[in-house]
Amino acid sequence: MTGVGAPNKGSPVADLILSAEGTAIEGPLVGVINFVSKAITWAQGLDPKSFPHDSLAGGKSLTLAGSAQFNAKFPTGMPSTTCGEGKWVDQGIYNYSFTGVGTVTNLLDPDGALKVTSLLIDGGKANDGLVSRCSAKFGKTIRDDYNWNHLDEVNQVLGLKSLFAPDPVDVYRQHANRLKLQGL
């Protein structure tokens, strides 16, 4: 298993978004999130009708409490300390993670808006705009300080990234080679 910028211990941003539940903005917010989710599914060449979306359930699973509940049931690869390493191999499963700690990584990239959400996480320190460095740790951490924000980690928004940051595609290729060399 490999986690990339995954909110393994939850994200305060999800908690904030879910604070809109039961208010007048819940409906429009859920509508926008479902639309974006369906658009991403469609852009991947998949049929959005074949993949149901439930923004509220998804959001709840990303909260601090929702993630803690999940990890209590499925602790494989989770660190036992706040910002430590998890088991590299657990129950025969190899676990890896990597993440970024950048927010505004390219002035031409609209995802620099993640700077605003980054302020909700550990006072704006060591996060990718949506997930803290420590929450992203899972199994063996390959690297936890790439100058990537949450969207750079998956090469979104036209592949724009920091000028001196490694190309996410190259990092994924290196990881695929790592797994191949291990016979996985």
Side-chain angles (χ1 to χ4, degrees):
M1 252 194 232
T2 302
V4 181
N8 298 305
K9 294 184 179 178
S11 173
V13 177
D15 287 285
L16 175 69
I17 291 169
L18 282 174
S19 68
E21 192 173 14
T23 70
I25 64 170
E26 176 185 353
L29 182 60
V30 166
V32 168
I33 293 170
N34 282 338
F35 174 78
V36 170
S37 182
K38 288 177 182 177
I40 291 170
T41 302
W42 175 83
Q44 293 172 336
L46 303 171
D47 178 10
K49 292 178 184 171
S50 299
F51 296 90
H53 302 274
D54 185 340
S55 327
L56 290 175
K60 287 176 183 175
S61 74
L62 299 174
T63 63
L64 300 174
S67 294
Q69 192 175 38
F70 179 86
N71 293 332
K73 281 182 165 177
F74 308 102
T76 301
M78 286 304 299
S80 58
T81 60
T82 303
C83 201
E85 296 283 310
K87 288 183 181 176
W88 177 47
V89 181
D90 196 355
Q91 299 178 34
I93 300 169
Y94 290 77
N95 302 293
Y96 295 96
S97 62
F98 50 92
T99 193
V101 292
T103 51
V104 179
T105 57
N106 187 310
L107 294 176
L108 300 175
D109 200 342
D111 66 12
L114 290 172
K115 179 64 178 174
V116 175
T117 54
S118 77
L119 300 174
L120 301 170
I121 304 167
D122 296 334
K125 298 177 188 159
N127 71 78
D128 67 5
L130 292 176
V131 178
S132 76
R133 180 177 67 85
C134 293
S135 183
K137 286 183 169 279
F138 175 82
K140 179 183 175 87
T141 304
I142 294 170
R143 188 167 166 189
D144 63 2
D145 65 349
Y146 286 114
N147 188 20
W148 294 338
N149 64 34
H150 198 71
L151 297 179
D152 294 339
E153 292 162 352
V154 290
N155 206 36
Q156 283 189 336
V157 190
L158 306 174
L160 295 172
K161 60 176 184 55
S162 172
L163 184 61
F164 300 108
D167 184 345
V169 174
D170 291 340
V171 172
Y172 282 100
R173 188 175 296 116
Q174 290 167 4
H175 187 57
N177 286 332
R178 176 182 299 110
L179 297 174
K180 182 179 178 182
L181 290 171
Q182 287 180 252
L184 301 174

